[in-house]
Amino acid sequence: MSLDRSAWASDFARVVIGNLEREYPYAAQHTALGPEDRALPVELHPAFATSYDWHSSVHMHWLAARLAAYAATTSDALDDGLAAQLTGILEAHLTGPHLAQEAEYLAATPHYERPYGWAWGFRLAAEVSTSEAPAVRALAPGFTPFIDVLEDLTTRWVQNAAYPVRHGVHSNSAFGLLLALDAARVLGRTGLEDTVSRTARAWFGADAGWPFGWERSGHDFLSAGFAEADLMRAVLPATEFAAWAEGFFSALEPGDEVLAPAVVRDENDPQQVHLFGLDLSRAGSARRVVDALRGAGVAGGLVELIEPAVEPLLAAGLAASVGEEYYSTHWLASFAWDAMEAREQAALTV
């Protein structure tokens, strides 16, 4: 099985188009305030009312933008017409008025999609603002009110929270902070960057001996340990991260389940298929952690323990991302593409 983006890009593009054009089923997660509060998903979320739920719609839009940029910079990246379809959907959904309404909804419901949906919102905005596809980049001004609200919500969240959430699902704090941090740097939001960096140090800076042997639970799609290490890799200078990682990974042992692909016995179970995402998210995080350690001059030990796990984890989740089961295909391709990019970036720096 090829693990290169070029072998999967067109299949991923078809999955994205199918998701972003599909309105139902849709899990709105809307808290009704009265008997008249019964708006359709597209009325509540004119930008993100497809791909099963709000956060999945956001990150499928991110993948659409990434694929459009890939097509703009790579000859024959996508089969004929797919790039134009992706761009047309983005232009139709991500208008200024649509994004302004999404911003108003988030401001009025300040705990909605915290922090996972916010994280992907940040990442989508950063991607659009720097896209190598001119038609996609032209959408960037419409994101300003959306990102203003996300920045305010994130700042108030971390200021008022004494502790992080370490679960391996949407509520995970480290994953949310990482995507917010990356976007803050791209978007020039220095205040947000400083806030996230300070919070990461306060919440995770003293962590050591993370019990990787306890991972995983039956519906994780994130490794709490690797998500945290991925964040700290982005926050700490290289030598400081290497020292932090030595303590944090001190309990990791060869043969721990966190280094092996998950077992999915029922691919029609919406919670079990989270484990395909766990394989993919671990592949991306582990690859970036290894690269950061190599950049700090670490050549053996922890690197040799983690690195062999990356490609088997990536391979284990790929097929489900383009399969027939909607519980898998409405979101997995985003994590697959992220892990593939991490893998190919590593190859460029060897």
Side-chain angles (χ1 to χ4, degrees):
M1 174 189 292
S2 173
L3 301 182
D4 294 336
R5 289 181 297 165
S6 59
W8 292 82
S10 290
D11 286 341
F12 282 179
R14 293 185 186 94
V15 166
V16 170
I17 291 165
N19 274 289
L20 296 184
E21 291 182 339
R22 181 170 178 171
E23 295 185 7
Y24 296 102
Y26 190 83
Q29 304 300 319
H30 174 67
T31 301
L33 300 178
E36 304 304 317
D37 190 2
R38 295 182 290 174
L40 294 172
V42 72
E43 295 171 332
L44 294 171
H45 302 297
F48 306 122
T50 54
S51 198
Y52 189 72
D53 52 26
W54 195 88
H55 53 258
S56 300
S57 187
V58 174
H59 61 80
M60 275 297 182
H61 280 85
W62 168 81
L63 183 53
R66 289 298 291 156
L67 288 166
Y70 185 61
T73 57
T74 308
S75 60
D76 300 322
L78 299 179
D79 293 346
D80 290 347
L82 291 176
Q85 286 183 265
L86 292 168
T87 301
I89 290 170
L90 292 169
E91 290 176 324
H93 291 186
L94 303 182
T95 68
H98 287 178
L99 291 165
Q101 185 173 333
E102 297 284 2
E104 291 173 4
Y105 186 92
L106 290 170
T109 55
H111 304 119
Y112 182 75
E113 290 285 356
R114 184 186 77 187
Y116 182 76
W118 301 356
W120 282 106
F122 279 124
R123 196 174 205 188
L124 171 61
E127 173 60 32
V128 168
S129 74
T130 57
S131 179
E132 292 168 295
V136 175
R137 191 170 63 252
L139 302 173
F143 277 85
T144 299
F146 184 70
I147 296 303
D148 286 344
V149 169
L150 288 181
E151 180 173 357
D152 177 64
L153 291 173
T154 301
T155 301
R156 288 192 282 130
W157 164 49
V158 299
Q159 287 175 344
N160 293 323
Y163 311 106
V165 176
R166 302 176 186 271
H167 302 310
V169 289
H170 309 83
S171 53
N172 183 277
S173 298
F175 181 85
L177 290 179
L178 174 59
L179 269 59
L181 177 64
D182 288 345
R185 289 170 173 168
V186 170
L187 297 168
R189 301 263 176 161
T190 56
L192 178 62
E193 179 184 357
D194 291 344
T195 295
V196 171
S197 296
R198 285 196 308 271
T199 301
R201 285 180 175 272
W203 280 353
F204 305 115
D207 284 2
W210 179 259
F212 282 97
W214 293 2
E215 297 191 23
R216 52 197 167 252
S217 74
H219 69 173
D220 285 350
F221 63 88
L222 299 169
S223 158
F226 273 106
E228 179 175 332
D230 202 1
L231 169 64
M232 298 308 283
R233 177 265 321 161
V235 169
L236 301 177
T239 55
E240 187 178 350
F241 174 69
W244 179 91
E246 183 178 357
F248 184 73
F249 285 96
S250 60
L252 183 63
E253 299 286 346
D256 278 352
E257 284 194 349
V258 74
L259 298 173
V263 175
V264 179
R265 293 178 176 171
D266 183 356
E267 296 188 11
N268 302 117
D269 183 324
Q271 291 190 334
Q272 279 198 52
V273 298
H274 274 189
L275 297 171
F276 290 128
L278 177 64
D279 290 339
L280 297 169
S281 67
R282 282 181 294 164
S285 291
R287 180 71 262 170
R288 288 185 289 269
V289 166
V290 166
D291 294 346
L293 290 170
R294 287 193 185 281
V298 178
L302 188 54
V303 167
E304 292 179 352
L305 178 58
I306 297 174
E307 190 167 34
V310 173
E311 296 210 353
L313 288 171
L314 175 55
L318 272 176
S321 67
V322 295
E324 298 297 324
E325 176 50 68
Y326 189 50
Y327 285 127
S328 294
T329 57
H330 80 268
W331 65 285
L332 280 175
S334 303
F335 283 91
W337 191 262
D338 176 78
M340 287 174 164
E341 288 191 330
R343 174 181 175 272
E344 292 181 23
Q345 183 60 40
L348 291 174
T349 58
V350 171

